[in-house]
Amino acid sequence: NAGVTQTPKFQVLKTGQSMTLQCAQDMNHEYMSWYRQDPGMGLRLIHYSVGAGITDQGEVPNGYNVSRSTTEDFPLRLLSAAPSQTSVYFCASSLTGAPGELFFGEGSRLTVL
Amino acid sequence: DAKTTQPPSMDCAEGRAANLPCNHSTISGNEYVYWYRQIHSQGPQYIIHGLKNNETNEMASLIITEDRKSSTLILPHATLRDTAVYYCIVHGAGSYQLTFGKGTKLSVIP
């Protein structure tokens, strides 16, 4: 039982490049979400999903796309990276999400030059 | 979800109890109090949650005041490994947006 797995752990991009942060969970959780964390700040919700085929925006969705084709996977796409997207990204999942105990991945550290 | 207020930092001597306060004066009846912690650079970790009654698990105890406007997380015997940022979050049933504030940075001192 691996929990929540994020890849890659580190990534450097140039402005304008695109990439996908991967998130997978093996706990059969319905709810999955993406957060970003900037220095000295708490976590801010980007997008979330309450089940396969269903996604919704969080607090800071601009510049990011998500999809949920399976229960296990919830990738986060940056279509045209900007320096303001330099951050640490965390994926989290829970059985129901409303409310629920969240299980977090170890994070993906992204730098956009 | 209701907002929370936490002190930005606290110190605690190793082996002593760490008492972390949280104010949530606008909490409504169906909102739970959740506590998470984040050890340096790692993903946040769930600690405990409660609605009205005090709760205890293997990690901590949660004391919620009778009017539910504040709560205290208690780590009974703090160790150096408990040094982390602790987040108090109010989360309503049916709400999918968990809001993390800046939390309290707890430093456990030898």
Side-chain angles (χ1 to χ4, degrees), chain B residues 4-80:
Chain B
T4 62
T5 303
Q6 298 178 253
S9 64
M10 293 181 62
D11 292 339
C12 178
E14 187 178 18
R16 304 297 288 267
N19 295 277
L20 292 93
C22 179
N23 285 325
H24 31 79
S25 58
T26 61
I27 193 170
S28 60
N30 68 346
E31 290 181 319
Y32 290 75
V33 179
Y34 277 76
W35 284 84
Y36 286 79
R37 73 180 182 183
Q38 186 175 23
I39 297 170
H40 180 62
S41 296
Q42 297 180 16
Q45 176 190 25
Y46 165 83
I47 301 173
I48 198 168
H49 76 280
L51 183 63
K52 295 181 181 178
N53 300 320
N54 298 337
E55 302 287 345
T56 295
N57 63 19
E58 64 278 5
M59 289 182 67
S61 294
L62 173 60
I63 308 297
I64 302 174
T65 57
E66 193 169 343
D67 63 7
R68 302 187 70 237
K69 293 184 177 182
S70 66
S71 60
T72 301
L73 178 75
I74 301 173
L75 308 178
H77 304 286
T79 72
L80 298 179

Side-chain angles (χ1 to χ4, degrees), chain A residues 24-99:
Chain A
Q25 52 88 12
D26 60 0
M27 298 173 282
N28 203 31
H29 283 171
E30 289 296 322
Y31 177 88
M32 296 186 73
S33 55
W34 277 101
Y35 287 85
R36 62 177 287 174
Q37 186 172 36
D38 302 305
M41 305 273 292
L43 285 81
R44 292 183 291 171
L45 182 64
I46 304 171
H47 284 285
Y48 65 94
S49 168
V50 299
I54 306 169
T55 63
D56 208 343
Q57 296 181 351
E59 180 186 355
V60 288
N62 292 339
Y64 307 95
N65 281 355
V66 292
S67 59
R68 185 93 181 270
S69 56
T70 67
T71 299
E72 295 78 19
D73 300 299
F74 190 45
L76 179 72
R77 298 183 185 86
L78 286 72
L79 298 179
S80 178
S84 61
Q85 294 178 303
T86 293
S87 190
V88 181
Y89 292 85
F90 290 100
C91 179
S93 73
S94 73
L95 195 58
T96 63

